[in-house]
Amino acid sequence: MIGRLVLFALIFALALAAHAADHPGASDPHPVEVEQPFVRLMPPGQPNTAAFMVLRNTGGVDLALIGAESGASRVVELHDHQMVDGMMRMREVGQIPLPAGTRTALEPGGLHVMLIGLHEPLRAGQRVPITLVFDDAPSVELHVPVRHPGEETPMHHHGHRH
Ligand SMILES: [Cu+2]
């Protein structure tokens, strides 16, 4: 009986060690730093919106953002803007390259994480769960605040007096 327990404990320890070896970076800091993420607050009734942020690849390996997930909307896509017949149009992109040592801005009029078919209307200040999926790095879970576009902080907005 004791023998079986020891054997089981040994197998468990070996499994843990194997798992750690499979994921050498599990305890290291993530190579991609996410700065100033926000979800744009849209007028009521708008079923779609977008998330913006700056992605800094601080590591020595080229990476790519290959997808995003969120429980807040039916569909989540990576989008860019492109001139089509003199009009700015959004288009889905398969991935957003993050070369080593560079910063990539997802910003209005450019790259963004598109949230299509919001399950519920968003409110300013609320946080939206968004998971970023990378090709060669662990996924990153964010809770992204909802803001009016161009609004640096809520305090700034309420500080105006007329
Ligand atoms: Cu879009």
Side-chain angles (χ1 to χ4, degrees):
M1 185 64 192
I2 297 294
R4 281 179 79 102
L5 272 177
V6 167
L7 186 62
F8 182 80
L10 188 63
I11 288 168
F12 187 71
L14 283 173
L16 274 180
H19 182 80
D22 278 350
H23 302 83
S27 58
D28 296 341
H30 198 283
V32 178
E33 288 179 12
V34 181
E35 295 173 352
Q36 299 145 31
F38 72 98
V39 169
R40 174 157 52 187
L41 183 67
M42 297 296 282
Q46 274 284 341
N48 308 329
T49 188
F52 306 97
M53 65 199 72
V54 173
L55 298 175
R56 276 162 40 96
N57 181 355
T58 63
V61 177
D62 292 348
L63 296 171
L65 182 66
I66 57 169
E69 298 161 2
S70 176
S73 67
R74 195 166 42 78
V75 177
V76 183
E77 293 178 351
L78 304 179
H79 277 194
D80 197 1
H81 278 84
Q82 199 179 37
M83 273 294 196
V84 179
D85 299 329
M87 297 244 306
M88 278 294 245
R89 291 261 169 79
M90 295 190 295
R91 69 185 177 114
E92 188 176 8
V93 293
Q95 61 170 38
I96 296 175
L98 306 171
T102 65
R103 67 192 287 285
T104 303
L106 280 59
E107 55 194 359
L111 295 163
H112 54 279
V113 175
M114 192 80 196
L115 303 173
I116 300 167
L118 292 168
H119 296 305
E120 290 176 9
L122 301 179
R123 302 177 312 277
Q126 165 184 5
R127 284 176 180 267
V128 176
I130 295 177
T131 301
L132 303 179
V133 182
F134 301 95
D135 60 343
D136 200 16
S139 297
V140 172
E141 279 182 49
L142 304 171
H143 289 86
V144 182
V146 176
R147 290 216 306 255
H148 290 282
E151 187 176 298
E152 294 307 313
T153 67
M155 290 306 293
H156 176 80
H157 190 71
H158 293 296
H160 280 300
R161 259 185 281 173
H162 297 283

